Amino acid sequence: MTQEQKQEFTRRISQENHSGLILVLCDIFHTYGMDAMAAYEAENMTTYLQTIGQARRAMQELIECFSKEDPLGRNVVAILRFIYGKLVRSEVRRQPDELDRCVQMVDDLRVGFVHLHELDNEGAVMQNVHQVYAGLTYGKGTLNESIQGVNYEKRGYQV
């Protein structure tokens, strides 16, 4: 995962509600899964094991997002635990045992979570965080994007 991707995920986490966090975790898992497959194809075992470990941790966080008391939540958790088992197996065997299938399964689940997120009108989980504004700065031969985290609405300004 690149530094830019980490910054983007961090920004998204700070702005999302509960259902949005599920989407972010799905995207993080997808990124680590793809990175692990690329590392295995490049025969870089150290990076492969590191990214599988990161994918496993992202999957564990995703499992913790769902209620075990709800029947639908238990079904989702069962699917995610299956994927977690495949990740552990891939890590122990040091080869991507159906890792592409696991990434595809999470991508398919994500489609349903997107619809859930559209219905969710809760506020952001993290409170007291700055709103994120993006802007462009033009220079001679350059174009820079900057992100500013000041919430001007709290200061009495109209945005």
Side-chain angles (χ1 to χ4, degrees), residues 1 6 27-37 51 54-55 58:
M1 181 180 296
K6 288 179 184 178
D27 293 343
I28 290 171
F29 175 79
H30 177 89
T31 302
Y32 280 128
M34 299 305 287
D35 288 351
M37 287 186 285
T51 53
Q54 293 289 356

Side-chain angles (χ1 to χ4, degrees), residues 93-154:
R93 289 188 172 186
R94 296 177 181 254
Q95 60 184 1
D97 183 39
E98 300 183 59
L99 186 56
D100 55 343
R101 179 176 162 216
C102 293
V103 170
Q104 185 59 48
M105 288 173 70
V106 172
D107 290 347
D108 292 343
L109 284 172
R110 188 186 186 284
V111 172
F113 299 144
V114 167
H115 294 299
L116 177 68
H117 183 60
E118 290 170 357
L119 300 173
D120 191 1
N121 56 7
E122 276 186 19
V125 172
M126 296 179 73
Q127 301 298 319
N128 298 325
V129 294
H130 296 296
Q131 291 293 102
V132 178
Y133 298 95
L136 296 176
T137 305
Y138 299 95
K140 185 175 182 176
T142 63
L143 177 66
N144 297 319
E145 182 180 12
S146 61
I147 298 176
Q148 191 175 34
V150 178
N151 186 348
Y152 290 103
E153 291 176 1
K154 290 184 180 177

